[in-house]
Amino acid sequence: MTIRPICITGEPVLHTVAEEVKVFDNELRQLVEDMYQTMDEAPGVGLAATQVGVGLRVFTYNWTEDDGTHLRGVVINPELELGPISDDEPDDETESEGCLSFPTYRFPIKRADYALLTGVDLEQNPVKIEAHGWLARIFQHEFDHLDGLLYIDKLRNEFKVEVEEITNEEGWGVDGLSWLPGKDKIEA
Ligand code: ZN
């Protein structure tokens, strides 16, 4: 297993709709193993293949519910059914997300409280997970990555100027930037 560099906003693969997985081979297995290791080392609660520079519809997740239930897995060619998303202002404390591809910053964003995730695993067995709360949020965040969207693309207008300023200050928003978990010190 290998920790792979995580692409930073501006890298074209992050902003491109990922392709459906058609071949379930060792290369895919290797990708998923590396994604688990990269996600753990970052650390992150989810990681999309596009974030390690691979434009395929795959994401991993790792989340412990309040009751201690540990959910860890991979979904390939996911589909996501969502409950309603409120128009209310998102709460700074309880609804702020971060992203390993826009590292160290957090912004609040409304998400559906309910998500039904379907797809397949590495053995092409069906995956079906009903999620609420943060797990539902993780699924929405990672699913958006596969459609070439970062959460910063979906923020309310009031945050967009700040995102642009950060992007400029950090020198992000250009092709070819990445950071390596375990080596580069970044708190995401
Ligand atoms: Zn992200």
Side-chain angles (χ1 to χ4, degrees), residues 1-67:
M1 293 200 290
T2 314
I3 296 168
R4 299 196 188 191
I6 296 179
C7 300
I8 288 173
T9 184
E11 178 63 43
V13 68
L14 287 174
H15 310 287
T16 306
V17 177
E19 286 179 24
E20 201 180 314
V21 172
K22 296 207 170 100
V23 184
F24 289 73
D25 57 4
N26 278 335
E27 202 179 320
L28 183 68
R29 190 169 300 275
Q30 188 64 59
L31 169 68
V32 170
E33 280 179 13
D34 291 354
M35 283 173 64
Y36 278 127
Q37 203 185 5
T38 306
M39 173 175 71
D40 290 345
E41 187 69 34
V45 292
L47 188 71
T50 51
Q51 294 183 276
V52 291
V54 177
L56 288 174
R57 302 191 76 82
V58 179
F59 73 74
T60 54
Y61 57 90
N62 185 53
W63 177 246
T64 305
E65 298 280 9
D66 286 341
D67 68 3

Side-chain angles (χ1 to χ4, degrees), residues 168-183:
N168 291 335
E169 275 169 26
E170 297 278 2
W172 295 343
V174 295
D175 205 327
L177 295 178
S178 66
W179 66 280
L180 191 63
K183 184 165 169 276

Side-chain angles (χ1 to χ4, degrees), residues 118-176:
T118 54
V120 297
D121 65 15
L122 272 171
E123 278 71 45
Q124 301 190 62
N125 293 319
V127 169
K128 185 176 179 183
I129 302 169
E130 277 197 317
H132 294 271
W134 265 94
L135 185 62
R137 181 178 287 273
I138 293 165
F139 289 167
Q140 289 165 80
H141 180 116
E142 301 310 329
F143 187 86
D144 281 347
H145 271 300
L146 305 183
D147 283 338
L149 288 171
L150 304 188
Y151 86 104
I152 49 168
D153 298 325
K154 301 179 93 176
L155 297 176
R156 293 164 75 94
N157 283 333
E158 62 199 273
F159 300 116
K160 287 192 172 156
V161 175
E162 206 180 325
V163 164
E164 217 176 292
E165 281 171 3
I166 292 167
T167 305
N168 291 335
E169 275 169 26
E170 297 278 2
W172 295 343
V174 295
D175 205 327

